[in-house]
Each structure stands twice: as C-alpha cells, then as structure tokens.
Amino acid sequence: MVLPALSLSLQFARFAAAPEHRAVLARHRVARWIRHALSANAEITVRIVDEDEGRQLNRDYRQKDYATNVLTFDYAQEPLVLADLVLCAPVVAREALEQNKTLEEHYAHLLVHGALHAQGWDHETSAQDAAEMEAYETAILGELGFADPYA
C-alpha cells in the first residue's frame, strides 16, 4: 500500500511533562499514524501543548472555555491537505488513564481523528456522520495494530 506523502512539523511547548510525551511521540510514529489517515498528500504541523495554551486556543477559536484533547485547524484539503493539529498533553494523559489506554494508543487515535477532521470528516453534524467517522478511525487504527478506541 502506497501512503500519501507527509511534510510534518512536530512541536512541543515547554511544560513539566513534555519529556514523557516526547518519548511517546517519536516523529516516525506520528508520521506513520497520520499518513495512514490521509487520502492526499499533506503538510501538517502537530503541536503538543500544556493546559493553559490548549484552553486559550479552544476559547479563542471555538468559544469553549476549557482545554480539549485535540484541535484541528484545517486550511486546505485540495490539492494538498494543510492543517495544524494541537493536542493538549494533560488532557490526553488524563483521558488515557480514564479510558484504561496507554498514552501511545490515545495519541495515535487522536492524531488519526485530527487528520480526518483536516480532510473534512465531521462527527458533530449527525449521528450517521459520527458512526461513519468512528468506523473509519477504528479501521485505520486496526491497520496500525491498535484496538478499537471506542470499545
């Protein structure tokens, strides 16, 4: 299987737990996870942030005053997918623990999820769209060797 090309910028904000997250998010892993979710070549920046930055971005761009796990800023879908994916490390770590997942499993899921959003997938438009997106995420993660994130 030939996967789309990906130009990836991987950034980490400065926060106390950054080394733990950096260890899980080796560049080659992040690129592999995202490439499996792409249907076209892409230029994507992934930024791992602390709770303050995650909350500020969610508040400024979505008018929601809390830090969320992943924010997708999609700029173009054709002919090249252009997007920024911002993941809030403390939220991701907390959710992984609550869901009894490894940090790696949860990051893989959220990066696939964000990459799909960058290509126009949306789970908030209808129950059918949500079911289709979840099924596709599950299939992609299965190809990558991960269990169903919704099980």
Side-chain angles (χ1 to χ4, degrees):
M1 166 173 50
V2 177
L3 297 173
L6 172 64
S7 174
L8 174 67
S9 174
L10 181 57
Q11 304 172 358
F12 292 84
R14 292 190 177 137
F15 57 97
E20 172 191 354
H21 294 266
R22 188 183 299 271
V24 171
L25 294 169
R27 191 175 196 293
H28 70 279
R29 284 187 192 148
V30 171
R32 181 172 180 259
W33 300 337
I34 292 172
R35 287 182 70 209
H36 272 265
L38 293 173
S39 59
N41 294 341
E43 292 180 9
I44 295 178
T45 296
V46 173
R47 181 166 171 78
I48 310 303
V49 301
D50 64 7
E51 195 126 8
D52 290 339
E53 186 174 345
R55 182 177 184 173
Q56 179 181 347
L57 289 167
N58 202 27
R59 183 179 55 237
D60 292 352
Y61 292 96
R62 295 182 65 227
Q63 291 71 53
K64 297 185 179 188
D65 194 18
Y66 58 87
T68 190
N69 51 20
V70 61
L71 291 167
T72 301
F73 298 93
D74 57 326
Y75 309 113
Q77 295 174 359
E78 294 179 1
L80 189 66
V81 176
L82 299 174
D84 293 335
L85 305 179
V86 179
L87 292 95
C88 183
V91 174
V92 175
R94 187 168 48 251
E95 289 177 348
L97 189 61
E98 291 167 357
Q99 297 172 22
N100 200 28
K101 296 178 183 176
T102 66
L103 198 52
E104 178 185 26
E105 289 171 316
H106 201 38
Y107 268 121
H109 176 214
L110 293 173
L111 286 164
V112 165
H113 184 86
L116 292 180
H117 273 305
Q119 297 170 91
W121 288 79
D122 192 344
H123 54 86
E124 296 180 350
T125 48
S126 72
Q128 180 178 344
D129 289 346
E132 289 174 6
M133 186 170 176
E134 289 177 11
Y136 193 35
E137 288 173 24
T138 299
I140 293 166
L141 289 162
E143 289 175 9
L144 292 166
F146 294 104
D148 179 351
Y150 297 102

